[in-house]
Amino acid sequence: MVPDPSTLPTVVPVGDNPTPIWGMSVAERLRRIVAARGLRIGEAGGGAVLLANLTFVFDPSWLPHLLARPGTILTRDGVPVLAHVAAADADRIAAAMRADQPVAPGGLAVIAAEDEAGIFNEALRKRERPFAERLTPASVPAIERASYVGAYKGVTDLLTKYLWPEWALWLTRRCARAGISPNQVTAIGSLLCIVATVAFWYGWFWSGLAIGLVFMVLDTVDGKLARCTITSSALGNAWDHGVDLVHPPFWWWAWATGCAAYGRPLSHDAFVAVIAAMLFGYVAQRLIEGAFIARFGMHIHVWERFDSRFRLVTARRNPNMVILFAGLLIGRPDWGIIAVAAWTMLSLVVHLVRLVQAMAAKARGRRIVSWLA
């Protein structure tokens, strides 16, 4: 449900909280969440209001959920956290927030944040459990971790899921406290990406891998930082995704070229075949993913459980770098790039088969929905 812009409530903060989170006050965090939704903060008037209890912090996804549900209270242990209510109910609910006491629903719908069922995210076609927690100095680390984990909403590769999280969480916290912006992180990462490309070109594979590793971690940090600090921007999104989209083919080309300087040159025919396979496979997979989104309204990697599991290892940058690392370990970077080319083509076949299977299933009358729902 999408609320009518003309009926959007005024957001009214209730209480105060001196404990900072992600390098900002709770009031500032609320202001950013509200501004990102095109709402305004003010005093309760004669119309509907959305009361926000500053004793608590909540996942930003709760805001649109309640905006679409007038007459609803979000609670934690019975205490109101957010409440989208008419002016007639505002005073008694605000009083309960200030007193840190449960409130009688009085005909209003109640959503308990601790409910295991969670909520359904319409945009992502998946069920999730956004957080809403009491903010105290002792609870900050756990809440920041929950905020960080909740900042990634999709499925991802094995490195991002299993290897990066603790490194990226540590860096995200440090950047937030130091006032480093997501775009500054992206700028540093972009420079490192270029340096890694040059290193690969000259056959300095170990140096290139080390620099590339830092870039790949920062590539996670900038997005996490933007979402955790509520500072996402159109420029940052375009810059980050633009770098992600453009640089992989240049890395593969540089690696294949650098094999000669390393002492393991590819033959002319092998070089042409590898580059052709990787460029064609990379572009074709992206086109298939776009076609799946256009036809079914969701990403191919969230259709069935198999697709989410295959996303862990599909021929994207991070899994490909694992293959190249394995080849370099045995002193055969040439075998590594050939293996990446072969894996790229195999991944292309898998994606193409999944697209055809989804189209055939829909033609038979089956509804195509995400298994995450």
Side-chain angles (χ1 to χ4, degrees):
M1 293 181 291
V2 179
D4 182 349
S6 64
T7 64
L8 290 176
T10 298
V11 177
V12 180
V14 178
D16 194 11
N17 195 332
T19 304
I21 183 168
W22 291 119
M24 61 186 148
S25 68
V26 181
E28 172 60 19
R29 182 176 185 273
L30 177 64
R31 186 198 67 77
R32 294 182 188 183
I33 294 173
V34 168
R37 288 284 167 180
L39 302 175
R40 64 184 181 87
I41 289 180
E43 299 293 332
V49 295
L50 198 152
L51 303 173
N53 188 346
L54 296 185
T55 301
F56 296 83
V57 288
F58 58 89
D59 189 297
S61 63
W62 279 119
L63 191 65
H65 191 74
L66 260 70
L67 285 176
R69 292 163 176 81
T72 302
I73 308 172
L74 170 69
T75 66
R76 182 74 193 187
D77 299 323
V79 179
V81 177
L82 293 172
H84 183 183
V85 295
D89 293 302
D91 287 343
R92 70 182 183 89
I93 294 173
M97 288 180 171
R98 293 189 184 95
D100 199 27
Q101 295 292 326
V103 64
L108 300 173
V110 175
I111 301 174
E114 57 267 38
D115 188 347
E116 293 288 340
I119 63 174
F120 186 73
N121 189 315
E122 295 284 352
L124 298 175
R125 305 290 186 90
K126 64 182 288 190
R127 186 161 290 279
E128 55 187 21
R129 289 190 62 201
F131 69 90
E133 301 288 345
R134 184 181 299 274
L135 180 64
T136 66
S139 69
V140 168
I143 294 175
E144 287 187 342
R145 181 177 292 275
S147 173
Y148 171 85
V149 170
Y152 191 86
K153 302 295 186 180
V155 295
T156 188
D157 62 84
L158 75 174
L159 292 185
T160 303
K161 185 172 183 177
Y162 297 114
L163 186 60
W164 295 171
E166 292 304 317
W167 303 352
L169 173 58
W170 187 87
L171 285 170
T172 302
R173 280 175 167 155
R174 297 304 176 276
C175 289
R177 284 155 176 68
I180 299 173
S181 73
N183 285 352
Q184 289 172 330
V185 176
T186 303
I188 295 170
S190 299
L191 178 61
L192 293 177
C193 179
I194 294 171
V195 174
T197 306
V198 173
F200 293 151
W201 188 273
Y202 285 99
W204 304 330
F205 293 130
W206 287 113
S207 298
L209 282 174
I211 295 167
L213 175 65
V214 178
F215 159 66
M216 290 188 289
V217 174
L218 292 181
D219 188 38
T220 293
V221 170
D222 55 8
K224 296 281 193 179
L225 181 64
R227 287 185 282 273
C228 288
T229 59
I230 327 295
T231 51
S232 297
S233 66
L235 171 62
N237 186 63
W239 186 358
D240 183 30
H241 285 83
V243 172
D244 287 347
L245 185 66
V246 170
H247 84 270
F250 288 97
W251 273 19
W252 315 144
W253 192 302
W255 188 285
T257 301
C259 286
Y262 185 85
R264 294 289 186 179
L266 296 170
S267 68
H268 174 75
D269 290 345
F271 182 90
V272 171
V274 163
I275 298 303
M278 300 191 72
L279 290 178
F280 175 77
Y282 180 75
V283 173
Q285 284 185 84
R286 291 290 188 171
L287 292 175
I288 290 171
E289 292 171 11
F292 200 97
I293 293 172
R295 191 169 184 87
F296 303 111
M298 64 181 180
H299 204 284
I300 192 171
H301 294 130
V302 300
W303 176 27
E304 294 182 334
R305 189 184 297 269
F306 166 83
D307 302 294
S308 294
R309 288 176 174 172
F310 189 69
R311 175 65 180 88
L312 291 170
V313 296
T314 193
R316 292 281 190 93
R317 179 197 64 204
N318 289 0
N320 285 351
M321 293 304 290
V322 173
I323 297 173
L324 293 177
F325 174 70
L328 193 58
L329 276 178
I330 61 174
R332 296 305 302 254
D334 52 331
W335 289 359
I337 197 67
I338 291 171
V340 167
W343 182 236
T344 298
M345 295 306 295
L346 182 57
S347 294
L348 171 60
V349 171
V350 172
H351 282 87
L352 182 59
V353 168
R354 295 301 287 162
L355 174 62
V356 172
Q357 287 176 331
M359 294 171 62
K362 185 175 182 180
R364 294 193 301 269
R366 176 183 167 189
R367 184 165 171 252
I368 305 298
V369 297
S370 170
W371 74 277
L372 295 171

